[in-house]
Amino acid sequence: MTNHTPAASADDAPADIREMLRLSQQQNEKMTRVFDRPTTIIVLTWGVAWFVGFLTLWSATEGNPWFRTPIVPAGIVFTVLMVAGIIVSAVVGSRTGRGMRGAVAFQGTVYGISWAIACMAVPFFGGALLANGMSPELAALFYPAGYSLVVGILYLAGAALWNDKPMLGVGIWIIVVGIGAPFFGAPTNYLVMGLLGGGAFLVYGVWLVLRQRRRVARYSRTDARAAVN
């Protein structure tokens, strides 16, 4: 008995393949947007906080040859910026998986909470050291280095979660800056942290913005070609 079941035509196969590729690209674009935007916000937030905060502290000492900032306002500015960085990182990070399900949502929530817990651990640990005899001069070296190591390690974790190699590089760089800055002594360590730490965040943040724009433009062209075909 002859089988009259219609076979798929040769013209259908390429169309099916193109449709599968288009759907795959759309899914990749969705996942990229889920992670890219929060990462950019966190990076730029810390870039501003470190660049302005540490340079303000540096200007409150004799290290700045151009002008001096009163020590109390400088301390307030630095504290406000650090707290703002912690809050923004915790809120944005915990909302990274919003709209997603399963492991992605869990990873985003845990990552955001980790920022708050880890950054709060630094001042509590520093307070314990001060209570046990750490001098103010040593504290001036400990706190910037402590924050740098914590933030760098969190960036390494984020790179592992989101398979982001540039984020991995920035995390390593921030750790190196945190380890190296104390060797310059206070207040020069503030200058090192502001320029090499905060500056690195700002450069990375600008690069992320440009990368997002390139991706949006590329996927827009792909969608336009798909619509024409």
Side-chain angles (χ1 to χ4, degrees):
M1 183 175 181
T2 304
N3 186 1
H4 296 287
T5 302
S9 65
D11 294 336
D12 292 337
D16 291 341
I17 293 174
R18 286 197 298 270
E19 179 64 16
M20 291 174 62
L21 289 174
R22 187 180 68 83
L23 292 175
S24 176
Q25 289 173 345
Q26 287 181 343
Q27 182 64 24
N28 289 337
E29 171 65 8
K30 182 179 180 181
M31 292 297 297
T32 297
R33 290 177 179 176
V34 167
F35 294 118
D36 265 9
R37 189 180 299 275
T39 301
T40 304
I41 294 173
I42 293 174
V43 168
L44 290 177
T45 297
W46 281 107
V48 173
W50 280 28
F51 189 82
V52 176
F54 282 115
L55 290 184
T56 301
L57 287 182
W58 177 65
S59 299
T61 68
E62 296 179 356
N64 190 338
W66 298 287
F67 61 88
R68 290 285 297 275
T69 303
I71 185 63
V72 174
I76 293 174
V77 169
F78 180 79
T79 302
V80 169
L81 289 172
M82 293 301 106
V83 172
I86 294 171
I87 293 174
V88 170
S89 299
V91 173
V92 174
S94 63
R95 292 168 63 89
T96 298
R98 188 178 183 184
M100 308 297 289
R101 295 180 179 179
V104 175
F106 179 76
Q107 289 170 359
T109 301
V110 172
Y111 187 68
I113 294 174
S114 298
W115 273 93
I117 294 175
C119 288
M120 288 301 296
V122 175
F124 279 105
F125 183 41
L129 294 178
L130 286 170
N132 284 275
M134 182 171 68
S135 66
E137 293 76 16
L138 188 56
L141 300 177
F142 166 78
Y143 282 106
Y147 276 112
S148 183
L149 294 177
V150 164
V151 172
I153 291 172
L154 286 170
Y155 266 74
L156 297 185
L161 285 175
W162 302 331
N163 192 29
D164 192 322
K165 293 181 180 178
M167 194 174 189
L168 174 64
V170 173
I172 294 173
W173 174 253
I174 294 300
I175 292 175
V176 170
V177 171
I179 295 173
F183 287 97
F184 291 89
T188 308
N189 65 317
Y190 296 144
L191 180 63
V192 173
M193 294 293 296
L195 294 180
L196 299 184
F201 280 133
L202 292 175
V203 170
Y204 180 42
V206 171
W207 181 83
L208 285 174
V209 171
L210 296 176
R211 184 178 72 170
Q212 291 177 40
R213 290 181 178 178
R214 288 195 300 268
R215 284 177 171 174
V216 170
R218 183 171 67 252
Y219 285 115
S220 296
R221 290 193 298 267
T222 300
D223 291 340
R225 287 195 298 267
V228 171
N229 294 331

